[in-house]
Amino acid sequence: MTKSRGVLLVLILAGALWAISLASWQAGVSGDTLGPAGVADVTEDASSQASPVATACVAIIAVTGLLSAMLGKIGRFVVLGFAGLAAVGYGMTALQSVSAPGATAWPIVGLCAAAIALIVIVYVAFSSASWTNSNRYARTAEAGGEEFDSAATWDALSRGDDPDSAAGGADDESK
């Protein structure tokens, strides 16, 4: 699996979990029953049934998916581990909502989606070990044979190297 496919897969999972969390998980009860005790209700809309914990878990999964593209091997395991923990948190929120009064079928869908997300995140984490970091700036100015490689020369100039002195140009003879 490539880096772009892995990141895209985690982002698609986060989008799917977010869409599931927008559905009404409970029918006929106020919107603040899905959140943890002591958390202020941000909205007075009774039709708003999104759990703040599930929404936070989705945000963590999305951010860690993006971070996995920017970090090295150890960093990817760490942030994708956090994404796995967030998927577990989403699943636990869904499991808690299944037994709540007035529960609809959406918490069961959320629980299944969280299990699938956890499996896929673990797969992406282990397949990320084969991702390579970009080395497009690590080329040397020497081209194969005697042909001139303008891209390699430009990269050498960007690094601060003098490609003419390495090739033994005419400036060396005049000194």
Side-chain angles (χ1 to χ4, degrees), residues 1 3 6-7 9-11 13 60-69 71-87 117-118 120-129 131:
M1 170 179 296
K3 184 187 297 189
V7 171
L9 194 55
V10 172
L11 290 176
L13 284 171
I60 290 169
I61 292 170
V63 169
T64 56
L66 291 173
L67 279 175
S68 68
L71 299 175
K73 186 177 184 178
I74 302 296
R76 286 192 297 264
F77 279 119
V78 170
V79 298
L80 289 172
F82 285 137
L85 288 175
L118 180 62
V120 171
I121 288 170
V122 168
Y123 171 70
V124 170
F126 282 110
S127 68
S128 73
W131 295 351

Side-chain angles (χ1 to χ4, degrees), residues 15 17 33 36 78 83 85 91 120-121 132 141 146 151-152 158 168:
L17 290 174
T33 59
V78 170
L85 288 175
V120 171
I121 288 170
T132 58
E146 293 295 320
S158 297

Side-chain angles (χ1 to χ4, degrees), residues 10 13 15-16 18 34 41 51 55 57 66 83 90 96 104 110 129 138 153 165:
V10 172
L13 284 171
W18 179 70
L34 290 177
D41 189 21
S51 168
T55 306
C57 290
L66 291 173
Y90 188 93
Q96 180 184 10
T104 62
T153 305
S165 65

Side-chain angles (χ1 to χ4, degrees), residues 14-59:
L17 290 174
W18 179 70
I20 292 170
S21 70
L22 288 180
S24 179
W25 285 17
Q26 290 180 335
V29 293
S30 63
D32 62 344
T33 59
L34 290 177
V39 176
D41 189 21
V42 265
T43 180
E44 294 299 323
D45 184 14
S47 65
S48 175
Q49 299 291 326
S51 168
V53 175
T55 306
C57 290
V58 168

